Amino acid sequence: MTKVHRGMEKLRNSNLLRNNRLAWAVCLLAAAAAVVLTSGMKLLAHEERGLASVAGVNGEAVEAREFSAIALSERAKVYAYFQGKYGAGDGTEFWNGNYGGERPREKLKRDALQKMVGIKVLQALGKEYGILADTSYTAYLEAFRRENETRKREADQGRPVYGPKQVQENVYYEMVQSRLLQDLRLKLDDRLRPDEETVSTYYEQHRSEFVKTGATTVKSFAVTFQTDDGGVSRKRAEGVLRTLIEELDAAEDGYAAKEPDSAKNPDYADAHAPGSTGRLNSPQELDAVQASDSVGALPAAAILYCETPSSAYECRERRYDSRTARTDLLTEPVLAQAAKELDRGQRSGIIVDRQSLYVLVCTDKQADGTIPLAEVRGKIGQELGNLAFERYIREEADKARLVVDEEALEAAMDQIVSNNR
């Protein structure tokens, strides 16, 4: 990863909105870090509507079916936790067991309550800023019903439907919360956007992180080998590249100072044009390339060899820079690293990468440079705004007051764990 990526990565690592699904999880796990839990109190807010509640967050009632949906989404994680940490089995007494002082049922209840607080805080903010009209689970289920009716109608009429024709209740719940998170971020954009001074100050304090890696240009000579008898052996491939290295070094040493013995390698010599062993035709030809490309003897020889047709090896020019860094890391990390270690006018030894051998000659090397503020101002501002939004959500969650109806909550938990897993 280049330094420019590392610079922005420090922001993104804690960025709530860098990915909607991940952001949603981060927000909920961070929420309720300091909620006040008041137990033993009955919640009557929704009883007149015939809806059983298990808790309330800042006065917003949590229906038993919403808590159950949240807890069910956490159940597999809790089981995996105890299985991984304690080797717990899938027995009938798993949820009521005691593992190193931890009880699965209590952890599930605690994790579900924590996640629930995060959800209700977001929903309350959505209502405050005019994004949601109703935060109840009843309202959500009605929206869920309408969503599937719309999907079915569109599908029946032959119109395109994005995603499944019928969405599941838990999937749609996550979609709604993710959309709420994004809408709330947009709603607060003006309030949370950093001013120019803040952006500039951050840039100056982290200038060393906003570095654009200088480009490295190489001539890449490659010979592919086979491990069976069907093609060029690795030994023959190495012989071809050793001869090539010998001739390139001869050019660097002054052309006539060293006489490479190319003719002794028929795999190499026979691959070149008739009457040529692959060497340069004259010192004047090498001098001309050195003058026109402003390079030394070794890269000049590599340029000429790359332009000379040969069946002994393949040659191409390759440029490694900040724009190609991500692709290079995925496709040819060995070659990219070897190229970056070369200075202008240097060559590598023989490099092995999968079923090919390589020799690299660096023909050009540019120094690293600082990315101008103008190019990253927008990204820095967006990321700092996202961080401010995350802090705001956490502060709101820290102030949340959770009230639990213990009897209703335990009844809901009984249902949740009744099927063991």
Side-chain angles (χ1 to χ4, degrees):
M1 182 178 292
T2 63
K3 289 183 179 178
V4 60
H5 290 146
R6 287 198 298 270
M8 296 306 296
E9 198 69 19
K10 283 193 174 182
L11 288 170
R12 294 193 183 102
N13 280 340
S14 57
N15 173 10
L16 186 67
L17 296 179
R18 65 185 183 276
N19 177 288
N20 272 345
R21 290 182 179 273
L22 180 60
W24 173 234
V26 171
C27 175
L28 298 180
L29 291 174
V35 295
V36 177
L37 176 61
T38 304
S39 60
M41 299 180 64
K42 297 290 184 179
L43 298 170
L44 305 176
H46 281 196
E47 286 187 1
E48 293 181 358
R49 295 163 56 183
L51 300 175
S53 299
V54 298
V57 179
N58 293 343
E60 293 284 340
V62 179
E63 298 174 28
R65 50 189 175 180
E66 181 172 18
F67 173 80
S68 296
I70 294 171
L72 286 171
S73 71
E74 295 295 300
R75 197 167 63 164
K77 299 175 188 176
V78 172
Y79 178 79
Y81 169 81
F82 281 91
Q83 186 180 52
K85 186 173 182 179
Y86 300 105
D90 187 15
T92 56
E93 296 300 317
F94 167 73
W95 290 105
N96 294 315
N98 187 326
Y99 303 89
E102 293 188 279
R103 297 181 179 275
R105 178 180 174 124
E106 292 306 308
K107 178 172 173 56
L108 175 60
K109 180 169 64 175
R110 183 173 63 252
D111 290 355
L113 285 171
Q114 184 179 33
K115 184 173 182 178
M116 182 190 71
V117 170
I119 291 174
K120 301 312 286 187
V121 166
L122 282 178
Q123 291 175 348
L125 290 172
K127 187 174 182 180
E128 178 182 344
Y129 287 98
I131 301 171
L132 289 180
D134 191 336
T135 63
S136 70
Y137 199 67
T138 298
Y140 157 74
L141 290 176
E142 176 59 24
F144 168 67
R145 181 189 64 78
R146 291 196 304 268
E147 175 70 20
N148 274 335
E149 283 184 354
T150 300
R151 287 173 177 268
K152 183 178 184 305
R153 182 172 60 254
E154 296 293 307
D156 291 344
Q157 295 176 356
R159 296 175 181 172
V161 176
Y162 299 98
K165 293 181 181 180
Q166 292 290 279
V167 66
Q168 295 180 342
E169 181 178 329
N170 63 324
V171 174
Y172 187 65
Y173 188 76
E174 181 183 342
M175 289 169 55
V176 169
Q177 308 313 322
S178 295
R179 191 182 306 140
L180 170 60
L181 187 71
Q182 186 176 38
D183 290 346
L184 188 59
R185 171 66 182 93
L186 293 174
K187 194 77 172 181
L188 296 172
D189 186 63
D190 289 340
R191 170 179 169 178
L192 300 175
R193 184 187 298 122
D195 56 29
E196 287 297 319
E197 183 179 356
T198 301
V199 172
S200 297
T201 298
Y202 182 89
Y203 175 81
E204 291 300 329
Q205 291 175 345
H206 300 81
R207 178 183 285 271
S208 62
E209 297 166 3
F210 294 98
V211 175
K212 182 184 297 183
T213 304
T216 300
T217 304
V218 299
K219 295 297 184 182
S220 172
F221 298 89
V223 181
T224 300
F225 63 88
Q226 301 293 331
T227 55
D228 53 29
D229 296 331
V232 177
S233 68
R234 175 166 173 167
K235 182 177 180 180
R236 290 178 63 189
E238 289 177 347
V240 168
L241 290 184
R242 279 197 298 270
T243 302
L244 173 67
I245 289 173
E246 182 185 355
E247 298 192 355
L248 293 174
D249 289 350
E252 185 179 32
D253 291 342
Y255 191 78
K258 182 178 179 182
E259 286 296 328
D261 200 5
S262 307
K264 290 185 178 180
N265 189 342
D267 294 326
Y268 182 80
D270 293 347
H272 290 77
S276 170
T277 64
R279 292 178 60 204
L280 305 176
N281 292 325
S282 69
Q284 290 75 24
E285 188 177 19
L286 183 65
D287 293 342
V289 174
Q290 287 184 260
S292 63
D293 290 59
S294 300
V295 294
L298 179 61
I303 291 170
L304 284 171
Y305 273 48
C306 214
E307 293 174 350
T308 303
S310 172
S311 60
Y313 54 76
E314 294 181 357
C315 182
R316 66 186 182 111
E317 183 172 271
R318 187 71 171 89
R319 179 185 173 95
Y320 298 93
D321 58 26
S322 58
R323 293 173 299 179
T324 66
R326 186 178 296 274
T327 301
D328 296 337
L329 184 64
L330 295 174
T331 60
E332 47 185 65
V334 174
L335 294 178
Q337 183 60 36
K340 291 173 184 177
E341 292 175 358
L342 296 175
D343 288 328
R344 187 178 187 186
Q346 291 183 331
R347 68 161 175 82
S348 71
I350 296 177
I351 303 166
V352 183
D353 189 15
R354 287 165 286 194
Q355 291 296 113
S356 294
L357 302 179
Y358 297 86
V359 170
L360 307 180
V361 178
C362 182
T363 57
D364 190 39
K365 185 87 168 185
Q366 297 177 3
D368 293 349
T370 302
I371 302 175
L373 174 59
E375 292 185 21
V376 292
R377 177 182 285 111
K379 290 182 179 179
I380 293 176
Q382 181 66 32
E383 301 296 341
L384 290 178
N386 289 342
L387 288 175
F389 177 66
E390 181 179 354
R391 287 193 298 271
Y392 173 65
I393 295 298
R394 285 177 173 170
E395 289 169 0
E396 291 300 310
D398 287 346
K399 296 184 293 185
R401 186 176 182 84
L402 172 64
V403 181
V404 173
D405 182 332
E406 290 182 336
E407 183 178 344
L409 181 62
E410 292 304 325
M413 288 298 300
D414 287 341
Q415 291 294 320
I416 293 164
V417 303
S418 60
N419 295 325
N420 188 30
R421 285 186 62 193

